[in-house]
Amino acid sequence: MSAARKEIGPPVIELGTIGWLRKNLFSNWYNSLLTIFGLYLLYILIPPLVNWIFLDANFVGSTRDDCSNEGACWIFIQQNIKLIFYGLYPTEELWRINLVYLILLISGVYLLIPNLRHKGWVGAFLLIIFPIICVVMLSGGFGLEAVETRLWGGLFLTLVIAGVGIVLSLPIGVMLALGRRSKLPVVSLLCTIFIEIWRGVPLITVLFMASNMFPLFMPEGVNFDKLIRALIGVMFFSAAYLAEVVRGGLQAMPKGQYEASQAVGLTYWRMMALVILPQSLKMVIPAIIGSFIAIFKDTTLVLVIGLFDFLGIIQFVGTNPDWLGFSHEGYVFAAAVFWVFCYAMSWYSQRLEKKLDTGR
Amino acid sequence: METDKSKIGSFIFNRSVQGIFYQLITLGLVALGIYYIVTNTARNMLERGLASGFHFLGVESQFDIGMTLIDYSPTSTYFDSFIVGLLNTLLVAGIGILFATIIGFTVGIMRLSSNWLIAKIAEAYVEILRNIPLLLQIFFWYFAVLRALPKPKQSLELYDSFFLNNRGLFIPDTVFGEGSSIIFYLLWLTIIISIGIFIWAKRRQNRTGERFPAFYVSTTLILGTFFVSLAATGFPVSFEYPELKGFNFKGGVKLIPELVALTFALAMYTASFIAEVVRGGIMAVSKGQTEAAKSVGLKQNLILRLIIIPQALRVIVPPLTNQYLNLTKNSSLAAAIAYPDLVLVFAGTALMQTGQAIEIIGMVMGVYLFLSLFTSLIMNLFNRFMKVDGER
Amino acid sequence: MSSELMIEMKNVHKWFGELHVLNDINLEINKGEKIVICGPSGSGKSTLIRCINRLEEHQRGNIIVEGTELTNDSRSIERIRGEVGMVFQQFNLFPHLSILDNCSLAPIWVRKLPKSEAKDKAMEYLKRVQIDDQAHKYPAQLSGGQQQRAAIARALCMEPRIMLFDEPTSALDPEMIKEVLDVMVGLAQGGMTMIVVTHEMGFAKEVADTIIFMDEGQIVEAKNPKDFFDNPESERTKTFLSQIL
Ligand SMILES: Nc1ncnc2c1ncn2[C@@H]1O[C@H](COP(=O)(O)OP(=O)(O)OP(=O)(O)O)[C@@H](O)[C@H]1O
Ligand SMILES: [Mg+2]
């Protein structure tokens, strides 16, 4: 009897590719309609795009006359690639930027590979020594020719603003979060006001403020350059957002952790530094990456105060009389680059989130 | 001596004394910082010959604005320009929110579709749109799409009444002729009757258990009365269609390309976030809820209406409002394509002309801050209201 | 006692993908009969009773409930769901509604009772499970045992002719199990047709007419309690009993 039972399989129609198609695309009449509609949508979107970007596009040449105008003219990007990536940074000094990228890349990869030793040292190097290297290499000094920030631009400038904003805003954000949760009413009130003001206004007004009001705040003769002003604005802005993320992590900490650390006699700062923050920061890493993505996208706004970041420079080269009418290529290229950066970050954070979820 | 020392010691190490001490230090530092900034600013302003204060608001602005919802001319005051900018901001935010909600809910629900292809298309939408900076998207729609549109003569058109060209989007305007007021009264009347029908239907269901198709009946009533009265009064409401006169369109309503591009980009971008909010909210309602509802015999549409939507909405509403707020704040990117919003008009042009940086930026930030705080106040009330149920 | 046939399952098969979760199930349940189903985790117990009110679809064979064959016809599914009550392991009360509203929801919207009548009936059943004093609270404010009793009342409010229980006590703390089992025993004594998935063997001994042992999607053994415990035939049953007793 049981031998006879074994012979029966599920209805063929529910198995394999056919079963999959039936279940996921044609399970009933309106699902079938939706599928057809979806296929139609893809049909009108994908082939023209692929044609424009790849098949009909021009990749080799040096002037606009080499472009057939049937598809994208990638020569436009190619000819302006130095501007787009580095801005007006002197060509003979570009190795300095590239060296910084290289150091960052090597140490970053080192940190991401699991199970390597001395990660703590590499991390400390990145946090303490690397910023000094960056400042010296990028702006000059110690025998290197000085390069004014007015010449900085392109993707390089975007990375500088996002990087500095991200790195500096994290400690400020942590302090603000601790302050907001402090039992001392004055401290908590001041931090709350500070956080809510920055979070309540758009970044663009912050940048306007940085460029118009900061000069008024400073004593006579002190004059920050435009980039530094923007950096300060971006830094405080993102610090306020990070503060709320960190506060979420602190709130999610079980009370027992606080009580246990007090029970073993840790002072407030030791408790925070040794027990609470390491755990709660780890918990909110995905959310922190989320804020980084937001900052990274928001750096594009610096163009309204006259800095030529990645998007700003693409906008700018598009107005070059030799290359008028290629804005599509510029925007698509910029979108692709931004997308790769942001998607990579969000992909990483999602993976991390899953890992943290199961780790608990 | 001994006791004195220990007294001092117990004073210094007293927790609350320490607390007050730290707070005093913080306050002192903050006050010092503010004092430093204020004195610097006062001196700097003196040097530049700037008077502080809001007197400039009453002064003639002497600049024109490309799009105004109220009467405005260069002889209007700076305060008027502030209002014009504010209204333009609210306009773009309002339209943006409307479309972002529609697209966002659609895409969010599509992501949960049992149809694999539809779910994937929605996922692609979300992943593409939210990972590209909004400003880039605004530039794309403005410079690459709208400004690249044909001239008015070769407009893209829909039903001979909607025209899209590089001067903007032209749509028909409604003109209310004589006798149209009666239609409005009737419309109001039927709406009030419909509300009555809903109340009556609910009461009757409570009393007898019978249900009444209140929605269909009142929709029919409103639309029916509307069209019948339209016909009876001889169609006093008409449309004024945009018409090509010379090089441009006359008549109808003109939406400037900046507005169209900005709304489009804001709506599409924010929709990608709203879609995630909606998806999260619906997924937060456990499968067990649907099963339990099915097991007592509820039909699919009732399960949605009575079980899933009420629960999902509680999860959705707070982050959704937050997205609305983000959209409103993001509408300030208008400045980059010269749509005359609050930031461009006031923090841009007016600031350039008057140099009153502190007052102007203070006012602009104040507006956004007010919107934010107001919204979070409402949300706190909402959350408290929802918590009365005692869950969580 | 009349032996009216309530549920009939004939050669029922079900697969999840390639996994054969119900393998040739044959079962007849008469009015007033109490069936207890037990078996190791993953053996298909939940799937079996969920097929009876079509929370899961079977793929081969026939399931006939109260003379109506379960097919894709949505009207017959809804009618059968009105006749068959179900109690879940995780209670699945509606968190946004008070206990009273949880119970009166379906009578109002499915049975189309007047609100006051539905509420009266809900109160009556809440009294029967002895939580009428909690009627105006929300599910989250109740203990697990109280929630499960509320869930039973919610199912009873539809006045079902058959009740399905899917491990109703396994999410409960030990001290609450008894209060739920007492309610179920009371229900059984009232003559309700019941199918209960549980590992509470005391309960099974007390109320079951038939105990079914399932393994790997098959009904391995189906006997009255005395025979089931005293002389189980299959090795698998013996092993299983030695583990849980
Ligand atoms: N929706 C589903 N999709 C795929 N597989 C499923 C699904 N539901 C159940 N299964 C699988 O079917 C088998 C039987 O599941 P079922 O829940 O009926 O077991 P059970 O006997 O109730 O077990 P338990 O005692 O753990 O509740 C299990 O192997 C389970 O993993
Ligand atoms: Mg089970």
Side-chain angles (χ1 to χ4, degrees):
Chain A
M1 183 169 149
S2 67
R5 280 175 175 176
K6 290 274 146 61
E7 281 167 25
I8 306 176
V12 184
I13 203 152
E14 297 184 13
L15 278 183
T17 321
I18 298 177
W20 187 90
L21 286 175
R22 239 178 84 91
K23 184 156 168 269
N24 293 299
L25 295 176
F26 301 100
S27 57
N28 50 35
W29 64 268
Y30 63 79
N31 256 335
S32 310
L33 261 181
L34 280 177
T35 304
I36 291 167
F37 171 73
L39 286 175
Y40 175 71
L41 202 69
L42 292 183
Y43 171 74
I44 55 174
L45 283 177
I46 303 289
L49 262 181
V50 171
N51 280 341
W52 187 80
I53 295 180
F54 301 106
L55 302 182
D56 296 340
N58 297 92
F59 294 91
V60 279
S62 52
T63 62
R64 61 183 302 156
D65 299 327
D66 296 324
C67 284
S68 64
N69 287 334
E70 272 161 32
C73 175
W74 298 121
I75 302 167
F76 163 63
I77 301 293
Q78 200 190 327
Q79 288 300 312
N80 291 299
I81 202 78
K82 200 227 120 192
L83 266 179
I84 291 174
F85 280 165
Y86 302 102
L88 296 170
Y89 211 86
T91 312
E92 58 280 10
E93 306 290 335
L94 287 186
W95 62 272
R96 285 155 56 175
I97 300 180
N98 292 335
L99 188 63
V100 166
Y101 282 164
L102 192 69
I103 298 176
L104 188 64
L105 190 76
I106 291 176
S107 26
V109 167
Y110 191 93
L111 285 180
L112 287 183
I113 297 177
N115 307 327
L116 281 184
R117 292 167 64 203
H118 307 305
K119 279 197 179 178
W121 288 107
V122 177
F125 163 78
L126 263 188
L127 282 179
I128 300 162
I129 308 198
F130 180 68
I132 303 175
I133 297 182
C134 280
V135 172
V136 174
M137 287 302 274
L138 299 179
S139 58
F142 292 103
L144 289 171
E145 194 185 319
V147 181
E148 285 177 64
T149 57
R150 142 183 96 73
L151 300 176
W152 298 18
L155 186 59
F156 163 60
L157 184 65
T158 297
L159 292 175
V160 166
I161 297 173
V164 173
I166 286 164
V167 170
L168 292 186
S169 62
L170 192 56
I172 303 178
V174 170
M175 293 309 291
L176 283 172
L178 290 179
R180 188 165 184 176
R181 276 177 64 79
S182 160
K183 288 207 180 69
L184 310 175
V186 172
V187 176
S188 134
L189 183 72
L190 285 173
C191 288
T192 308
I193 293 176
F194 189 84
I195 293 172
E196 290 306 327
I197 288 182
W198 292 99
R199 274 165 42 93
V201 300
L203 179 58
I204 207 168
T205 59
V206 173
L207 292 173
F208 269 113
M209 182 175 117
S211 69
N212 289 305
M213 273 160 77
F214 278 5
L216 288 177
F217 292 164
M218 289 299 128
E220 216 171 359
V222 178
N223 222 344
F224 284 156
D225 84 53
K226 203 161 27 174
L227 176 62
I228 300 214
R229 277 184 259 157
L231 280 177
I232 294 175
V234 169
M235 180 181 81
F236 280 133
F237 186 78
S238 63
Y241 279 85
L242 279 177
E244 285 304 273
V245 169
V246 173
R247 190 167 72 106
L250 290 175
Q251 262 166 351
M253 243 327 73
K255 222 173 151 195
Q257 291 292 320
Y258 290 90
E259 286 165 359
S261 4
Q262 277 163 353
V264 296
L266 294 181
T267 61
Y268 176 82
W269 291 107
R270 291 232 171 91
M271 167 176 85
M272 284 302 168
L274 299 176
V275 182
I276 307 296
L277 278 176
Q279 296 184 63
S280 50
L281 283 182
K282 194 174 160 196
M283 248 190 312
V284 293
I285 288 178
I288 292 179
I289 298 179
S291 318
F292 287 175
I293 298 177
I295 301 173
F296 186 69
K297 286 186 295 179
D298 279 347
T299 52
T300 49
L301 299 200
V302 296
L303 70 84
V304 299
I305 57 166
L307 288 171
F308 286 99
D309 76 317
F310 188 45
L311 180 58
I313 214 102
I314 281 188
Q315 188 80 340
F316 172 73
V317 291
T319 59
N320 178 346
D322 287 345
W323 293 102
L324 276 182
F326 290 102
S327 59
H328 286 80
E329 283 82 348
Y331 293 136
V332 169
F333 181 70
V337 172
F338 271 113
W339 189 84
V340 167
F341 271 97
C342 294
Y343 188 74
M345 282 195 269
S346 98
W347 178 81
Y348 181 70
S349 101
Q350 271 164 25
R351 228 191 47 166
L352 212 61
E353 200 162 6
K354 280 203 191 104
K355 217 167 102 188
L356 289 177
D357 255 3
T358 51
R360 255 186 288 156
Chain B
M1 274 312 269
E2 277 302 309
T3 49
D4 258 12
K5 238 187 196 164
S6 72
K7 252 186 200 161
I8 295 174
S10 72
F11 182 74
I12 292 180
F13 292 106
N14 182 313
R15 282 284 185 86
S16 54
V17 175
Q18 281 182 345
I20 292 174
F21 177 69
Y22 285 136
Q23 301 195 56
L24 281 179
I25 288 190
T26 328
L27 259 187
L29 284 177
V30 171
L32 212 68
I34 294 179
Y35 173 78
Y36 180 70
I37 289 177
V38 168
T39 46
N40 280 336
T41 312
R43 211 208 32 250
N44 283 327
M45 287 182 68
L46 204 69
E47 256 169 32
R48 298 183 197 187
L50 289 173
S52 61
F54 290 92
H55 305 294
F56 75 97
L57 283 177
V59 175
E60 239 175 56
S61 68
Q62 293 176 328
F63 64 87
D64 206 356
I65 301 177
M67 184 188 122
T68 59
L69 295 177
I70 55 170
D71 280 341
Y72 177 88
S73 71
T75 55
S76 306
T77 61
Y78 279 111
F79 185 72
D80 291 331
S81 72
F82 171 76
I83 298 294
V84 167
L86 181 59
L87 288 178
N88 284 347
T89 289
L90 293 179
L91 176 75
V92 80
I95 309 179
I97 284 173
L98 178 70
F99 284 106
T101 310
I102 297 172
I103 306 174
F105 272 74
T106 314
V107 175
I109 291 167
M110 276 166 66
R111 274 204 80 172
L112 293 170
S113 165
S114 61
N115 187 314
W116 181 86
L117 184 65
I118 295 294
K120 281 291 161 196
I121 290 177
E123 185 181 342
Y125 176 93
V126 170
E127 290 299 354
I128 291 174
L129 274 269
R130 71 169 180 183
N131 283 318
I132 295 175
L134 174 60
L135 187 61
L136 176 51
Q137 298 189 33
I138 293 176
F139 279 170
F140 177 79
W141 291 114
Y142 184 60
F143 292 110
V145 176
L146 284 169
R147 290 277 292 269
L149 283 172
K151 296 203 174 75
K153 281 221 162 129
Q154 291 98 36
S155 297
L156 305 173
E157 52 188 284
L158 193 65
Y159 307 125
D160 265 341
S161 32
F162 296 86
F163 299 90
L164 189 62
N165 55 50
N166 61 6
R167 303 283 179 89
L169 176 66
F170 297 81
I171 60 176
D173 195 3
T174 38
V175 183
F176 302 106
E178 223 168 289
S180 57
S181 53
I182 181 122
I183 296 172
F184 280 98
Y185 293 134
L186 279 175
L187 202 60
W188 275 115
L189 190 71
T190 46
I191 288 174
I192 291 169
I193 293 177
S194 302
I195 295 173
I197 293 180
F198 273 101
I199 296 173
W200 171 80
K202 186 82 208 156
R203 287 230 180 110
R204 193 174 81 129
Q205 188 189 353
N206 288 347
R207 214 171 47 244
T208 66
E210 295 290 318
R211 256 177 282 161
F212 184 78
F215 179 75
Y216 297 105
V217 170
S218 49
T219 318
T220 326
L221 178 74
I222 294 177
L223 291 181
T225 321
F226 179 68
F227 287 115
V228 168
S229 62
L230 257 185
T233 49
F235 294 99
V237 181
S238 60
F239 293 103
E240 184 193 66
Y241 293 96
E243 263 178 83
L244 191 60
K245 293 251 171 72
F247 291 112
N248 206 348
F249 279 86
K250 289 263 151 57
V253 178
K254 175 190 176 186
L255 303 176
I256 56 173
E258 291 80 16
L259 175 64
V260 178
L262 189 61
T263 344
F264 217 84
L266 280 172
M268 302 265 287
Y269 179 75
T270 314
S272 69
F273 291 89
I274 292 181
E276 286 299 273
V277 167
V278 170
R279 180 173 83 115
I282 296 178
M283 287 209 323
V285 183
S286 72
K287 232 174 104 195
Q289 290 292 308
T290 318
E291 290 183 351
K294 277 184 184 168
S295 79
V296 290
L298 286 172
K299 286 188 189 147
Q300 191 57 40
N301 59 348
L302 283 179
I303 296 178
L304 265 180
R305 191 174 125 196
L306 301 172
I307 308 296
I308 299 190
I309 292 177
Q311 290 185 54
L313 272 189
R314 290 165 189 230
V315 185
I316 290 174
V317 167
L320 182 67
T321 356
N322 202 18
Q323 288 305 328
Y324 289 167
L325 204 57
N326 282 349
L327 186 148
T328 312
K329 285 193 272 177
N330 282 336
S331 73
S332 59
L333 297 194
I337 55 166
Y339 170 77
D341 81 322
L342 183 61
V343 170
L344 181 77
V345 169
F346 209 56
T349 320
L351 182 107
M352 289 269 265
Q353 291 194 3
T354 60
Q356 304 279 359
I358 295 184
E359 293 82 356
I360 286 181
I361 291 181
M363 279 172 79
V364 172
M365 283 186 158
V367 167
Y368 288 106
L369 212 53
F370 170 78
L371 287 177
S372 299
L373 294 181
F374 185 71
T375 317
S376 57
L377 181 78
I378 302 268
M379 270 312 103
N380 279 340
L381 290 179
F382 174 85
N383 284 337
R384 198 168 302 163
F385 181 71
M386 285 303 169
K387 275 223 182 85
V388 175
D389 301 357
E391 39 160 339
R392 250 166 275 151
Chain C
M1 205 165 142
S2 70
S3 62
E4 183 188 331
L5 195 57
M6 298 290 274
I7 300 172
E8 195 181 357
M9 297 178 99
K10 283 190 291 200
N11 308 101
V12 172
H13 289 264
K14 168 149 186 78
W15 291 264
F16 282 122
E18 296 279 357
L19 184 71
H20 205 165
V21 276
L22 291 184
N23 189 347
D24 198 26
I25 301 289
N26 287 288
L27 197 61
E28 288 186 0
I29 298 170
N30 290 321
K31 182 162 192 267
E33 246 189 303
K34 283 102 190 123
I35 310 286
V36 166
I37 304 178
C38 59
S41 176
S43 55
K45 307 176 299 283
S46 301
T47 311
L48 173 67
I49 65 168
R50 287 156 59 87
C51 277
I52 295 174
N53 65 354
R54 214 173 173 79
L55 289 179
E56 303 286 357
E57 285 175 28
H58 61 285
Q59 288 146 316
R60 297 234 165 123
N62 316 78
I63 301 180
I64 298 158
V65 181
E66 295 217 299
T68 313
E69 166 141 26
L70 286 179
T71 57
N72 260 333
D73 182 356
S74 65
R75 281 164 308 172
S76 66
I77 294 174
E78 271 149 26
R79 191 171 62 245
I80 283 168
R81 282 180 182 160
E83 301 296 324
V84 180
M86 180 151 185
V87 175
F88 300 84
Q89 181 175 357
Q90 300 297 342
F91 329 140
N92 291 343
L93 288 170
F94 306 129
H96 61 301
L97 300 176
S98 69
I99 298 300
L100 187 61
D101 289 339
N102 261 282
C103 294
S104 60
L105 184 81
I108 291 175
W109 292 96
V110 181
R111 291 270 186 264
K112 307 206 163 82
L113 290 185
K115 202 170 190 170
S116 58
E117 202 174 305
K119 297 231 156 153
D120 289 346
K121 184 190 299 248
M123 277 315 275
E124 184 191 318
Y125 283 108
L126 285 173
K127 202 170 277 169
R128 238 169 86 184
V129 300
Q130 294 175 355
I131 44 168
D132 45 326
D133 50 335
Q134 314 283 338
H136 296 285
K137 288 195 183 165
Y138 284 82
Q141 296 167 310
L142 267 54
S143 75
Q146 290 171 328
Q147 289 193 47
Q148 192 60 297
R149 282 185 282 154
I152 295 175
R154 174 177 70 184
L156 291 178
C157 278
M158 287 296 286
E159 311 202 308
R161 289 159 53 84
I162 301 167
M163 283 286 283
L164 310 174
F165 294 83
D166 191 359
E167 309 203 24
T169 55
S170 44
L172 295 177
D173 293 339
E175 72 270 18
M176 296 171 182
I177 292 181
K178 190 173 175 302
E179 61 187 51
V180 172
L181 288 181
D182 283 348
V183 167
M184 291 167 61
V185 171
L187 203 59
Q189 285 160 353
M192 176 68 79
T193 312
M194 290 162 70
I195 305 178
V196 185
V197 175
T198 185
H199 293 152
E200 294 291 334
M201 287 304 140
F203 173 82
K205 265 183 199 148
E206 190 178 341
V207 303
D209 298 311
T210 309
I211 301 183
I212 290 176
F213 175 71
M214 279 188 75
D215 194 17
E216 296 182 346
Q218 302 178 2
I219 294 182
V220 178
E221 197 135 353
K223 288 195 170 132
N224 66 47
K226 194 170 173 339
D227 288 347
F228 184 82
F229 290 112
D230 294 349
N231 40 20
E233 267 161 47
S234 130
E235 274 311 310
R236 285 188 276 179
T237 320
K238 284 179 197 159
T239 335
F240 179 75
L241 281 176
S242 70
Q243 278 163 2
I244 62 162
L245 285 181

